[in-house]
């Protein structure tokens, strides 16, 4: 049986950078706090926890003083930085540069919309860490939409500026963009609409890559944490182009019957999936063969 790991899968540079910053800091510090899971992968979180990384919530942050806290790649709202200053917390800021740039664009758009009576709209998952950081740039005024029915939140008689969470589906973003345009064209007056494709190209480029990869193998094992929005989106790409695609968190979830009559297995993952975990799955399959 041929077993191949997709060379384009694994950490994006933002996640890789955040983990390196955490490991470098823990090399000379017994404990480092992290505001939320550093990556949406339980096995990697466990590995880093064993090195001294302690995950905390935003509620926990308010009670901490005189310590170091890592900001993960997802970024944080302005309130986090204010609280850290008040509590004498040293922030190890590993916010992804792509996310920081988007935060600035969202803030600029929101400031402009104050004069135009407009709306900033974010295509993303409500409650997602990155989305919380983006909405924080707008004094919590941005509207969050994740599907067609959420467009009921918008007033189509007022200007709209649309952005996307960096890890969302390109296809989903352009479908929503088209829906907004159609609804605006039904109005008597022309209303300003700006759509900004702010999806990270490290993410969007993986979709066509996975389309090809999933069709090159009899069976696809997509390795990802179940909390990963990016993982769900990329797995859907694999499943569409290869019905024999399975979402797993580790090799422990692989069922023997999946491998029956299979000549080639492709292993891939999300931008939050460590390479060591995909290699672990590959080794398991080779030994099971």
């Amino acid at each position: 049986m041929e077993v191949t790991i997709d060379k384009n899968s694994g950490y994006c540079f933002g996640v890789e950078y955040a983990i390196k910053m955490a490991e470098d800091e823990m090399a000379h510090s017994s404990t480092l706090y992290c505001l939320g899971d550093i990556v949406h992968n339980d096995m990697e979180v466990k590995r880093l926890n064993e090195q001294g990384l302690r995950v905390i919530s935003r509620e926990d942050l308010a009670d901490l003083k005189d310590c170091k806290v890592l900001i993960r790649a997802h970024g944080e709202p302005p309130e986090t930085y204010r609280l850290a200053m008040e509590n004498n917390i040293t922030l190890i800021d590993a916010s992804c540069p792509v996310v920081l740039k988007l935060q600035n664009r969202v803030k600029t758009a929101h400031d402009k919309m104050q004069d135009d009576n407009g709306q900033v709209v974010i295509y993303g998952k409500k409650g997602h860490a990155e989305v919380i950081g983006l909405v924080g740039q707008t004094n919590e005024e941005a509207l969050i939409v994740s599907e067609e029915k959420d467009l009921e939140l918008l007033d189509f008689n007022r200007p709209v500026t649309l952005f996307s969470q960096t890890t969302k589906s390109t296809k989903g973003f352009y479908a929503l963009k088209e829906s907004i345009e159609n609804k605006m064209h039904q109005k008597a007056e022309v209303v300003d609409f700006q759509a900004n494709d702010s999806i990270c190209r490290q993410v969007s480029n993986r979709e066509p890559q996975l389309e090809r990869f999933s069709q090159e193998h009899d069976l696809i094992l997509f390795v990802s944490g179940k909390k990963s929005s990016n993982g769900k989106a990329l797995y859907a790409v694999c499943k569409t182009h290869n019905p024999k695609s399975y979402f797993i968190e580790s090799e422990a979830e692989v069922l023997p019957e999946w491998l029956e009559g299979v000549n080639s297995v492709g292993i891939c993952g999300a931008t939050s999936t460590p390479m060591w975990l995909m290699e672990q799955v590959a080794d398991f399959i080779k030994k099971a063969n």
Side-chain angles (χ1 to χ4, degrees), residues 41 50 91 155 191 250 262-263:
N41 188 284
E50 291 169 354
L91 293 178
D155 180 349
V191 181
S250 72
V262 170
N263 295 316

Side-chain angles (χ1 to χ4, degrees), residues 41-59:
N41 188 284
D42 290 344
M43 295 186 71
E44 180 71 334
V45 169
K46 180 182 177 183
R47 182 184 75 84
L48 292 168
N49 176 265
E50 291 169 354
Q51 294 183 32
L53 189 66
R54 300 291 178 261
V55 177
I56 60 169
S57 66
R58 285 186 172 79
E59 290 73 23

Side-chain angles (χ1 to χ4, degrees), residues 79-135:
E79 171 66 16
T80 297
Y81 294 88
R82 183 192 63 77
L83 186 59
M85 187 172 293
E86 288 179 0
N87 290 1
N88 195 36
I89 294 171
T90 299
L91 293 178
I92 312 297
D93 198 340
S95 299
C96 173
V98 174
V99 173
L100 288 177
K101 182 178 179 181
L102 176 56
Q103 286 186 350
N104 185 58
R105 292 175 68 191
V106 168
K107 184 180 186 308
T108 300
H110 175 259
D111 291 345
K112 179 180 181 297
M113 284 298 186
Q114 299 307 294
D115 298 328
D116 299 340
N117 190 33
Q119 307 152 95
V120 171
V121 180
I122 296 170
Y123 169 48
K125 180 181 178 183
K126 193 168 186 177
H128 188 281
E130 181 189 325
V131 173
I132 290 172
L134 295 175
V135 175

Side-chain angles (χ1 to χ4, degrees), residues 173-243:
F173 172 79
Y174 281 99
L176 277 178
K177 173 180 178 288
E178 184 177 354
S179 293
I180 293 172
E181 286 173 334
N182 289 339
K183 291 178 185 296
M184 284 189 160
H185 287 156
Q186 295 170 12
K187 303 296 179 182
E189 295 183 12
V190 176
V191 181
D192 183 39
F193 173 48
Q194 302 290 327
N196 302 276
D197 179 351
S198 50
I199 297 167
C200 175
R201 286 303 171 254
Q202 278 216 0
V203 175
S204 63
N205 289 344
R206 292 192 184 193
E207 293 185 20
Q209 290 166 352
L210 282 180
E211 287 179 14
R212 294 189 294 270
F213 184 78
S214 59
Q215 295 176 74
E216 291 169 353
H217 303 280
D218 298 335
L219 174 75
I220 292 294
L221 295 177
F222 188 89
V223 188
S224 173
K226 289 184 171 63
K227 298 177 185 176
S228 172
S229 297
N230 166 250
K232 292 172 184 174
L234 292 180
Y235 169 66
V237 173
C238 293
K239 190 71 173 177
T240 298
H241 293 87
N242 186 335

